[in-house]
Amino acid sequence: MADTQANNPLHGITLERIVTELEAYYGWAQLGQAVSIRCFTHDPSIASSLKFLRRTPWAREQVEALYVDMLRDQNTSDR
């Protein structure tokens, strides 16, 4: 059963951590361009983003996909 999540890069990572790391990596302006949602473009904050993303599955999926892409970028630049 422990192997079921072995290849899932999001396993054990909270949504708050995802949004915080994305904001630190991209900044709000670039994050708003990558995922066009109001909570990233108009008076952005971690709290408002979390509230929206928890209620909106399509937006959360886009943010999680961007996070996985960011992790890949970081891994390739570390080599």
Side-chain angles (χ1 to χ4, degrees), residues 9-59:
L10 299 175
H11 181 69
I13 298 177
T14 64
L15 185 59
E16 182 176 8
R17 179 175 167 190
I18 290 171
V19 173
T20 302
E21 289 185 22
L22 284 172
E23 190 279 324
Y25 187 77
Y26 292 109
W28 289 118
Q30 193 173 359
L31 193 54
Q33 290 177 346
V35 181
S36 184
I37 52 178
R38 189 169 174 84
C39 63
F40 289 166
T41 59
H42 295 82
D43 195 25
S45 72
I46 299 292
S48 68
S49 300
L50 292 174
K51 186 175 181 179
F52 178 77
L53 293 170
R54 286 181 178 133
R55 295 181 316 195
T56 316
W58 64 264

